Amino acid sequence: MVQIPTTELAPGYAISRLIKGGWQLAGDHGEVDRAGALADMAAYYEAGVTAFDCADIYTGVEEMIGAFRKSYGERHGTGSLDRLKIHTKFVPDLSVLQTIGRKDVEQIIDRSLARLQVERLDLVQFHWWDYSVPRYLEVANWLREQQRAGKIDQLAATNFDTQRVAELVDEGIPLVSMQVQYSLLDRRPARQLAPYAGEHGIRLLCYGTVAGGFLSKRWLGAAEPVEISNRSLVKYKLIIDDFGGWDLFQALLETLERIALKHGVSISTIATRWVLDQDGVAAAIVGVRRGDHLAEHTKVFGVSLDDDDRQALAAIHAQSRELDGDVYSLERDIHGRHGRIMKYELNKT
């Protein structure tokens, strides 16, 4: 199996360049096999995927990772999980942005500590739904207080646009990373955020690199879906529409298939490799509900895209439309096509 490289987000804070995502374990994508999920965590960790991603709003996932830590440590001994980094999120509900207080922040952080069964959270990623409620700097400073109190090691954020990232930086919030959607279909981070982040030592952790599975052979030559019940696929189908529609998407898949065949890997592997090669990207988040993708995931580090590959993909991009706005701007409009499919009230205690 290919060795998985690591990278430092901060001095002494190293993560694998693949991160095991937890969103699909929240139950919103179908029934979750808990025993299988715990076994998958062990398999990914032992293969060198030593960073796991979760969130306070991913129902049951922090507890599941906490159970994994406990059972794995009992089986393999003290120190067996020394390389593991668990990245969670702090996502206050849309309805409480006006009223959330310092004590509420502390309680949510304490709840994550209890669920994960740790004394300090490795990395907390801050999300804020609505910029029209301009309290994100105040709340970020309360997270900073939790860091100073020893409850958080590293502070980060997710889905903030470049303007607000700059505000957080100017406020003195020591962000080490920003989690963003980034793929061959969605290149919004490259326009503004990646250059700014690079200048300020903020690395990008990328989700959506295979667009919920759309960037795979399964969809090559497939008819455009009329009805989609999976909310994740609905989300990425909207991105495909904005990218240029189904025909251009098929042209992208055909190009990816030629590149994949040349390298002896899958379309999804090439799509993830492309993201990992972009400026400022520290790691790609791979999310699976079943554990049959590990071998394919690790192949991404055995592939190097050459000039012909990059030029072929650039030719598709030359025909595509740029998605509007900065990072997460489309999704942040709660009344728009992208925002209407979001779930906002998930952080109930």
Side-chain angles (χ1 to χ4, degrees), residues 56-59 93 111 231 343-348:
D56 50 3
I57 62 169
Y58 297 173
T59 304
D93 285 337
R111 187 184 62 189
R231 188 167 60 92
K343 290 187 177 181
Y344 296 97
E345 304 298 317
L346 296 173
N347 206 336
K348 304 302 182 186

Side-chain angles (χ1 to χ4, degrees), residues 184 209-219 253 256-257 260 265-275 286 293 296-297 300:
L184 282 158
T209 63
V210 298
F214 270 118
L215 290 171
S216 68
K217 191 167 185 175
R218 173 189 172 190
W219 293 96
L253 288 182
L256 285 169
E257 174 73 348
V265 294
S266 69
I267 286 175
S268 298
T269 296
I270 297 299
T272 300
R273 179 71 262 176
W274 182 89
V275 173
V286 293
H293 299 284
E296 192 63 37
H297 283 153
V300 72

Side-chain angles (χ1 to χ4, degrees), residues 213-317:
F214 270 118
L215 290 171
S216 68
K217 191 167 185 175
R218 173 189 172 190
W219 293 96
L220 178 61
E224 182 172 6
V226 177
E227 294 185 5
I228 305 174
S229 58
N230 182 302
R231 188 167 60 92
S232 176
L233 289 181
V234 172
K235 163 188 169 71
Y236 291 110
K237 177 57 168 60
L238 292 174
I239 297 294
I240 291 170
D241 295 342
D242 292 345
F243 175 78
W246 196 253
D247 288 345
L248 186 58
F249 171 62
Q250 286 297 314
L252 172 61
L253 288 182
E254 290 167 4
T255 300
L256 285 169
E257 174 73 348
R258 289 195 296 272
I259 297 170
L261 287 172
K262 182 173 93 174
H263 293 283
V265 294
S266 69
I267 286 175
S268 298
T269 296
I270 297 299
T272 300
R273 179 71 262 176
W274 182 89
V275 173
L276 285 167
D277 288 343
Q278 302 311 297
D279 290 344
V281 172
I285 300 166
V286 293
V288 293
R289 188 157 49 90
R290 298 177 305 275
D292 52 358
H293 299 284
L294 176 57
E296 192 63 37
H297 283 153
T298 60
K299 288 180 182 178
V300 72
F301 298 109
V303 174
S304 295
L305 300 183
D306 60 30
D307 288 343
D308 289 343
D309 301 332
R310 288 187 285 270
Q311 288 170 10
L313 293 169
I316 297 294
H317 283 147

